[in-house]
């Protein structure tokens, strides 16, 4: 005789992907138990929103999708079902008015993550979400999920389960990748975790010390075939910032870094400016006046281009492609996100694990990566919605 499960739907992980899956199941009228290992929900979400919560990116869908690189084809159905416009509508449905910045980044007007999370949890609680914190999932015993809880060992059976356990960065906030061993024991062949959206290790000379903390603005970064226009910060350990993060895949694989210090000028225009008579001015003052290079940019040029060529065209070429030696990305736990995890080959089109029918995956635990700027959160929400919808279908057809 078959016994009823403890809950129709179990969601493990209380970040954006897990909450979206829970929301979808609850909205369809199914009872949901959500288990989170940390003392509170959405800890990484709140941390990411401390400097301004970037919800999504308002841009044509083709370029938006291209930001996901090798996972573009696999994520297309999910992102088509929950577009950047849908993300804005979802946030505004929770009472958070949004605005779009000059670069297309979309933010809530309050800029913070906490009001959005509070409104979302209030909505979920109002629909009857049963949530437990400090419940750490430790695997399966037969058909039951096993949890270490403050009250001791618990076993939960469910009609469907959604795993939304995050990647392997920011372990103190819950994304520790410890689930990988559990899935590996189930025969899931995982892609190794690797840092993404991480700072770059650069061994500066003492000459650069006065510029630690200074931004590099109006520059373009190149590594391999990847190019990014944006801002980065000179830190004691190297370079970090949104302008550099899109190059993580190439830099992680050992590609050299080049910086165009004057991306708005062609080589010919730059050469013409450098050919102007400088009189008794020092070359540094000449560069400052004719190119408007900031002190930090000039310092970077002096760090890696000395002795500077006297010929204007040769100097222009150096400025347009300044080679910056580096020692690779910062360690994984210092990265904003990770590549690796559950490959799409281990999942069916519904994001259900082939090795565990009835168990779905969502969010950063799946093997995809994207730069910061709204892409990460959008894909977490979209995969959570997709997994939740298919979990609903399974419940309602069985």
């Amino acid at each position: 005789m078959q016994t009823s499960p403890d809950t129709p739907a179990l969601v493990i992980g209380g970040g954006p992907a897990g909450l979206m899956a829970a929301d979808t199941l609850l909205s369809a009228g199914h009872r949901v138990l959500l288990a989170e290992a940390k003392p509170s929900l959405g800890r990484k979400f709140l941390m990411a929103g401390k400097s301004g919560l970037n919800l999504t990116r308002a841009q044509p869908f083709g370029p938006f999708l291209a930001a996901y690189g090798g996972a573009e084809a696999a994520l297309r159905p999910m992102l088509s079902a929950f577009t950047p416009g849908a993300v804005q509508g979802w946030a505004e449905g929770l009472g958070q008015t949004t605005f779009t910045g000059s670069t297309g980044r979309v933010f809530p007007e309050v800029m913070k993550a906490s009001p959005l999370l509070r409104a979302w949890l209030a909505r979920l609680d109002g629909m009857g979400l049963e949530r437990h914190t400090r419940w750490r999932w430790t695997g399966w015993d037969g058909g039951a999920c096993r949890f270490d809880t403050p009250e001791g060992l618990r076993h939960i059976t469910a009609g469907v389960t959604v795993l939304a356990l995050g990647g392997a960065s920011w372990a103190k906030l819950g994304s520790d990748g410890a689930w990988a061993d559990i899935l590996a024991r189930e025969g899931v062949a995982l892609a190794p975790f690797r840092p993404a959206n991480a700072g770059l290790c650069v061994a500066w000379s003492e000459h650069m010390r006065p510029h630690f903390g200074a931004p590099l603005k109006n520059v373009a970064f190149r590594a391999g075939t990847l190019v990014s226009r944006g801002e980065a910060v000179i830190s004691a350990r190297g370079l970090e910032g949104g302008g550099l993060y899109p190059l993580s895949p190439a830099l992680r694989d050992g590609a050299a870094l080049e910086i165009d210090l004057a991306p708005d000028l062609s080589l010919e225009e730059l050469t013409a400016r450098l050919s102007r008579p400088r009189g008794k001015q020092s070359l540094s003052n000449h560069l400052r006046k004719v190119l408007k290079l900031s002190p930090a940019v000039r310092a970077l040029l002096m760090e890696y281009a000395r002795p500077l060529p006297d010929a204007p065209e040769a100097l222009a070429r150096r400025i347009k492609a300044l080679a910056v030696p580096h020692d690779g990305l910062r360690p994984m736990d210092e990265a904003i996100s990770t590549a690796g995890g559950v490959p799409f080959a281990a999942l069916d089109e519904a994001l259900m694990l082939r090795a565990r029918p009835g168990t779905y995956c969502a969010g950063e635990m799946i093997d995809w990566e994207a730069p910061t700027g709204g892409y990460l959160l959008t894909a977490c929400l979209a995969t959570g919605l997709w997994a939740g919808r298919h979990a609903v279908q399974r419940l309602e057809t069985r």
Side-chain angles (χ1 to χ4, degrees):
M1 176 176 169
Q2 187 173 2
T3 59
S4 298
D6 296 310
T7 181
L10 171 65
V11 175
I12 306 177
L19 293 175
M20 183 58 81
D23 195 333
T24 306
L25 284 151
L26 288 164
S27 297
H30 299 285
R31 189 162 56 88
V32 178
L33 185 155
L34 185 146
E36 164 60 44
K38 289 295 183 179
S40 59
L41 306 183
R43 292 164 80 90
K44 188 175 178 181
F45 178 64
L46 290 173
M47 179 63 76
K50 276 197 168 181
S51 57
L53 180 62
N54 190 183
L55 289 168
T56 190
R57 180 71 70 98
Q59 66 183 136
F61 189 67
F64 180 84
L65 192 61
Y68 296 90
E72 176 181 346
L75 287 172
R76 178 187 288 272
M78 299 92 184
L79 294 170
S80 297
F82 199 62
T83 63
V87 174
Q88 289 179 264
W90 163 77
E92 292 179 357
L94 289 169
Q96 303 303 304
T97 305
T98 64
F99 72 94
T100 303
S102 59
T103 61
R105 297 184 182 210
V106 178
F107 301 89
E109 281 192 352
V110 295
M111 293 298 288
K112 298 178 181 178
S114 51
L116 178 61
L117 182 60
R118 282 197 301 270
W120 199 4
L121 292 178
R123 166 184 160 82
L124 297 175
D125 289 342
M127 289 193 288
L129 177 65
E130 178 185 352
R131 49 184 168 116
H132 298 275
T133 55
R134 296 186 173 90
W135 277 36
R136 176 168 289 278
W137 180 57
T138 59
W140 287 279
D141 281 340
C145 283
R146 183 178 62 247
F147 294 91
D148 284 337
T149 80
E151 292 76 33
L153 184 64
R154 287 291 304 272
H155 290 81
I156 301 292
T157 58
V160 292
T161 299
V162 178
L163 302 178
L165 293 158
S169 64
W170 293 17
K172 66 181 180 181
L173 300 178
S175 297
D176 57 12
W179 52 265
D181 290 340
I182 298 172
L183 294 191
R185 289 195 294 270
E186 296 293 315
V188 179
L190 301 171
F193 290 120
R194 297 179 294 168
N197 293 302
L200 190 67
C201 300
V202 180
W204 306 116
S205 72
E206 283 297 312
H207 161 75
M208 293 297 293
R209 183 176 293 276
H211 302 282
F212 291 168
L216 294 174
K217 297 182 177 182
N218 300 318
V219 300
F221 301 94
R222 288 193 295 266
T225 61
L226 302 179
V227 179
S228 174
R229 180 77 182 266
E231 187 174 318
V233 174
I234 300 170
S235 73
R237 298 187 296 178
L239 291 168
E240 50 192 90
L244 192 68
Y245 294 155
L247 307 185
S248 290
L251 294 171
R252 188 174 61 221
D253 291 339
L257 174 66
E258 287 186 347
I259 306 179
D260 184 345
L261 303 180
D264 294 323
L265 297 173
S266 68
L267 179 64
E268 293 74 18
E269 292 170 328
L270 187 56
T271 301
R273 290 196 184 192
L274 293 171
S275 298
R276 295 174 187 174
R278 78 172 196 244
K280 295 182 179 180
Q281 291 183 106
S282 68
L283 181 54
S284 179
N285 275 336
H286 185 57
L287 292 170
R288 177 177 59 83
K289 290 185 177 180
V290 300
L291 300 183
K292 311 297 184 188
L293 297 183
S294 69
V297 170
R298 295 200 309 275
L300 193 65
L301 181 64
M302 295 300 180
E303 178 81 347
Y304 291 117
R306 287 185 297 177
L308 296 180
D310 290 324
E313 183 177 347
L315 180 55
R317 291 186 183 279
R318 195 76 59 90
I319 290 170
K320 293 292 288 180
L322 181 68
V324 177
H326 65 85
D327 297 317
L329 298 181
R330 297 296 307 165
M332 190 156 55
D333 196 48
E334 297 179 26
I336 292 174
S337 60
T338 49
V342 180
F344 282 100
L347 304 167
D348 68 8
E349 65 280 356
L351 297 182
M352 185 171 71
L353 278 169
R354 299 182 189 278
R356 295 284 312 194
T359 297
Y360 301 80
C361 293
E364 287 190 61
M365 68 181 297
I366 303 173
D367 182 19
W368 58 270
E369 64 178 306
T372 57
Y375 303 107
L376 290 169
L377 181 56
T378 300
C380 285
L381 295 170
T383 54
L385 177 66
W386 189 265
R389 283 178 173 174
H390 284 87
V392 167
Q393 290 179 13
R394 185 176 179 87
L395 285 173
E396 294 179 353
T397 56
R398 292 176 69 88

